[in-house]
Amino acid sequence: QLKLVESGGGSAQSGGSLRLSCIASGGTLKYYAVGWFRQVPGKEREGLSAAYSENGGSFSVDSVSDRFTTSRDDDRNTVYLQMNDLKPEDAGIYFCAAEPGSWFRQKRIRDNIVGLSASEFGSWGRGTQVIVSS
C-alpha cells in the first residue's frame, strides 16, 4: 500500500520560499499523479498544484500558478512543491496525495475537471504545517 510522508514545512517570512517534499514508500511514485493541498481550520482542503505521472507535466491552480510549482524526482520516489513569494494567507497544513496516473488523467478528461479536487486522490499523507509571518 502506498504511504506518503510530507516534510519541509516550517516558518517563513512573507516573501520567502519553502520547498515541501512528499516521499513515497510501498509503491513506485512515478506511476502516480501527485497533488498538493492546503487546509486551514474550518475550510475544506484546497487543491493547489499537481504533477501527472511519468513526466506528463504539472499544473497549478490560477490562485498560486505564479508562485507554486510541483516537480518530481522519480529516482528518489519524491515529489516537491516549491513555494515562492509566500504570503500570510499561504499558512496552513499542506498535504500531498496520490492517485494511479492513467486513471487520474482519464478521469479529468472524461469529466472535464477544472482545478484540483481532493476527491481525485485516494492516498494521502498526514500533512506538514506551514507558518508565514508578515
Side-chain angles (χ1 to χ4, degrees):
Q1 184 174 355
L2 191 70
K3 179 181 177 182
L4 304 174
V5 177
E6 302 92 340
S7 63
S11 297
Q13 296 276 353
S14 183
S17 298
L18 284 173
R19 188 178 77 162
L20 306 184
S21 300
C22 175
I23 302 171
S25 60
T28 303
L29 199 58
K30 75 173 184 178
Y31 299 121
Y32 290 79
V34 177
W36 287 97
F37 293 79
R38 175 175 63 218
Q39 189 164 27
V40 297
K43 292 191 175 182
E44 294 185 357
R45 290 182 187 183
E46 176 188 8
L48 301 171
S49 186
Y52 290 102
S53 62
E54 300 183 80
N55 289 321
S58 64
F59 64 94
S60 299
V61 301
D62 289 346
S63 61
V64 298
S65 62
D66 58 339
R67 300 185 296 120
F68 290 10
T69 303
T70 293
S71 63
R72 318 181 62 111
D73 185 342
D74 290 332
D75 290 339
R76 297 179 183 271
N77 227 27
T78 301
V79 171
Y80 302 101
L81 179 67
Q82 179 67 44
M83 304 187 294
N84 298 325
D85 190 23
L86 285 163
K87 306 177 187 301
E89 54 265 37
D90 293 324
I93 308 295
Y94 282 70
F95 298 87
C96 66
E99 180 72 7
S102 59
W103 174 233
F104 176 80
R105 186 182 288 272
Q106 290 172 22
K107 193 165 52 176
R108 289 184 65 84
I109 294 172
R110 182 196 71 188
D111 297 344
N112 196 27
I113 295 174
V114 177
L116 191 63
S117 171
S119 64
E120 298 183 74
F121 296 89
S123 299
W124 288 84
R126 294 193 172 187
T128 185
Q129 185 170 21
V130 170
I131 299 168
V132 183
S133 55
S134 57

